[in-house]
Amino acid sequence: MPVDPSSPLVITSLAWVPEFARGHVRDYRARWACEELGLDYAERLVGTPRPDSYYHDQPWGQVPALHDGDIELFESGAIMLHLAEKGETLLPAGAQARARAISWLFAAMNTIEPLMFELTNVNVFARGEEWAKLRKPSLYEFLGQRLDRLADSLGDKDWLEGDFTIGDLAMTSVLRVGEGSASMKQRPTLTAYLERAKARPAFRRAIADQLKSFEGHEPAPVAKDGEQQ
Amino acid sequence: MPVDPSSPLVITSLAWVPEFARGHVRDYRARWACEELGLDYAERLVGTPRPDSYYHDQPWGQVPALHDGDIELFESGAIMLHLAEKGETLLPAGAQARARAISWLFAAMNTIEPLMFELTNVNVFARGEEWAKLRKPSLYEFLGQRLDRLADSLGDKDWLEGDFTIGDLAMTSVLRVGEGSASMKQRPTLTAYLERAKARPAFRRAIADQLKSFEGHEPAPVAKDGEQQ
């Protein structure tokens, strides 16, 4: 759907980020959900440093935050759930199917993503630091165990519960944090799952619109951590 | 509420854990939510190794899982949300208040708890390993920044949005992971917040019933990681 400045749905994104972060800032999760649902949304771009008032909208100054008319919320997980509740496209009507989709959403955010945060830390932000080198073997082992169980659950299905749900949107966006890592490359089932997600037109439009939002904005200092939520 | 074997709400817990983990296994979050809501629940205890069939209920073999009549779900975050939706005690009816409570629930699970996992790792499971010692300064700094913002949001209120919600239940259960750490001791606002939560009769009953569930069960081998979700 086109970005529409008059939409009551307003997604907060960053005015500018360095090259390596483009297409990965977490507001794309909210954009992607809107695209899957066929909902227009407006953008609100925030710079660095954040306006003081922004810390009410998002306590850590991160993105995304969402305004839905008079309702304001934060955390990409809460925003994905809120958007998914607008229809049955991402959250099936049946009670059991709904419960499984939401279970996978939380599994993405609380069981897989914490290890992906650590993976990014040891491979990117803390690369070269001694602790990061020493931490890698045990992290890879533990992450690998979690990913193997996830691959078992997926099996030969396209999506975790058959049809694509908000649980898949969340889970593939979390796997994407580790894209290109040995942990993902060694698991063709999960790599193919991520590729299927990235081939969805809604995903492609969401990324394209995030990239477009950075155009014409001057570079500004960006903190090492804490840019994304 | 008494544990009632005939309840349609069935919380999966562990049959036995070592002393240090008692009162901390994550099924207490589900028990606590039930107690706040005045709902009876039944217990289903699983041992180590798990029955193969359990990996469908919980893909990583962790606890809790929840059966609510015919509905099955997993992940403590999903279970807290599911239970909270049963009334207005933990999830206010107003759309904005509901959105904030759910935002805090996800903030607990995805913004604070990943760092608490690392804190437990460097201070407990990997204590004595070189990488854990070297990782501490940067972890403490980053966690501290997150906790300071959380304390700012709490301010002088008892609970994050005034009245106690599922967001507070989740957030205090996550802060409890770091209880006794320097990161918590240095922040009296958050320590007092956690103490208020622990003084709630519903919390005390939940912990007491978890401890009771271990009685009379023989010790069994327990994996180092992956016991809790």
Side-chain angles (χ1 to χ4, degrees):
Chain A
M1 306 298 290
V3 174
D4 174 358
S6 70
S7 173
L9 277 179
V10 183
I11 297 171
T12 303
S13 184
L14 299 177
W16 188 87
V17 297
E19 187 73 26
F20 77 90
R22 295 181 192 185
H24 292 273
V25 186
R26 284 198 188 187
D27 58 86
Y28 90 80
R29 297 176 177 181
R31 294 173 189 264
W32 184 7
C34 285
E35 294 286 354
E36 294 283 355
L37 291 158
L39 297 172
D40 288 335
Y41 62 91
E43 294 168 334
R44 175 178 62 149
L45 303 182
V46 292
T48 303
R50 310 281 182 266
D52 282 348
S53 62
Y54 186 63
Y55 290 92
H56 175 75
D57 289 12
Q58 214 299 343
W60 293 276
Q62 299 164 316
V63 300
L66 182 76
H67 287 205
D68 180 2
D70 292 337
I71 304 169
E72 300 175 10
L73 60 162
F74 60 95
E75 286 280 328
S76 63
I79 291 168
M80 286 188 278
L81 179 62
H82 178 85
L83 292 170
E85 284 177 335
K86 291 182 176 290
E88 294 179 18
T89 305
L90 295 175
L91 208 47
Q96 176 60 74
R98 183 178 191 275
R100 290 286 290 191
I102 294 175
S103 296
W104 286 119
L105 167 63
F106 277 97
M109 309 309 281
N110 195 246
T111 293
I112 303 297
E113 192 157 41
L115 299 173
M116 290 296 185
F117 287 145
E118 275 201 76
L119 190 72
T120 303
N121 216 357
V122 301
N123 284 336
V124 182
F125 296 122
R127 187 179 53 185
E129 291 186 33
E130 188 64 15
W131 76 263
K133 290 180 201 164
L134 296 170
R135 168 56 171 150
K136 284 184 188 182
S138 58
L139 175 62
Y140 289 174
E141 185 187 347
F142 190 39
L143 173 60
Q145 289 168 0
R146 293 250 168 122
L147 293 179
D148 285 341
R149 289 284 183 195
L150 178 63
D152 287 348
S153 292
L154 181 62
D156 58 5
K157 301 188 298 297
D158 276 358
W159 309 111
L160 287 162
E161 297 293 322
D163 292 330
F164 185 84
T165 72
I166 196 66
D168 295 295
L169 193 157
M171 189 62 82
T172 54
S173 72
V174 163
L175 294 179
R176 194 167 167 249
V177 177
E179 193 176 10
S181 68
S183 301
M184 283 295 291
K185 283 182 184 167
Q186 289 160 1
R187 292 172 175 85
T189 301
L190 297 182
T191 301
Y193 174 50
L194 176 55
E195 288 304 317
R196 278 192 293 281
K198 289 171 61 185
R200 294 177 75 86
F203 172 87
R204 291 168 179 259
R205 284 194 297 269
I207 298 297
D209 281 331
Q210 174 176 102
L211 295 177
K212 202 169 166 186
S213 75
F214 301 128
E215 286 175 13
H217 295 106
E218 287 301 305
V222 174
K224 183 177 168 189
D225 281 318
E227 284 304 292
Q228 300 184 35
Q229 192 54 42
Chain B
M1 306 298 292
V3 173
D4 174 359
S6 70
S7 173
L9 278 178
V10 183
I11 298 172
T12 303
S13 184
L14 298 178
W16 187 87
V17 296
E19 187 73 27
F20 77 90
R22 295 181 193 187
H24 292 273
V25 186
R26 283 198 188 187
D27 59 86
Y28 90 80
R29 297 175 177 181
R31 295 173 188 265
W32 184 8
C34 285
E35 294 287 353
E36 295 282 355
L37 290 159
L39 297 173
D40 288 335
Y41 63 90
E43 295 168 335
R44 176 178 61 149
L45 303 182
V46 292
T48 303
R50 310 280 181 267
D52 280 350
S53 62
Y54 186 63
Y55 291 91
H56 174 77
D57 288 13
Q58 214 299 344
W60 294 276
Q62 302 165 314
V63 299
L66 181 77
H67 286 204
D68 180 2
D70 293 336
I71 304 169
E72 301 175 7
L73 59 164
F74 60 95
E75 286 280 329
S76 63
I79 291 168
M80 287 189 277
L81 180 62
H82 178 85
L83 292 170
E85 284 178 336
K86 290 182 175 291
E88 294 178 18
T89 304
L90 295 174
L91 208 47
Q96 175 61 71
R98 183 177 190 275
R100 290 286 290 190
I102 295 174
S103 296
W104 286 119
L105 166 63
F106 276 98
M109 309 308 281
N110 194 246
T111 292
I112 303 296
E113 192 156 42
L115 299 173
M116 290 297 186
F117 288 144
E118 276 201 75
L119 190 72
T120 303
N121 216 357
V122 300
N123 284 337
V124 182
F125 296 119
R127 187 180 52 186
E129 290 187 35
E130 189 64 14
W131 76 263
K133 290 180 199 163
L134 295 171
R135 167 59 172 149
K136 285 184 188 183
S138 57
L139 175 62
Y140 290 173
E141 185 187 348
F142 190 39
L143 173 60
Q145 290 168 0
R146 293 250 167 122
L147 293 178
D148 285 341
R149 288 285 182 193
L150 178 63
D152 287 348
S153 292
L154 182 62
D156 58 6
K157 301 188 299 295
D158 276 358
W159 309 111
L160 287 162
E161 297 292 323
D163 292 330
F164 185 85
T165 73
I166 196 66
D168 295 295
L169 194 156
M171 189 62 82
T172 55
S173 72
V174 164
L175 293 179
R176 193 167 168 248
V177 178
E179 191 175 13
S181 67
S183 301
M184 283 296 290
K185 283 182 183 167
Q186 291 160 0
R187 291 173 176 84
T189 300
L190 297 183
T191 300
Y193 173 50
L194 177 53
E195 289 304 318
R196 277 192 294 280
K198 288 171 61 186
R200 294 178 74 88
F203 171 87
R204 291 168 180 260
R205 284 193 299 268
I207 298 297
D209 281 331
Q210 176 176 103
L211 295 177
K212 201 170 168 186
S213 73
F214 301 128
E215 287 175 11
H217 294 107
E218 288 301 306
V222 174
K224 183 177 169 189
D225 283 326
E227 284 306 291
Q228 301 182 36
Q229 191 54 39

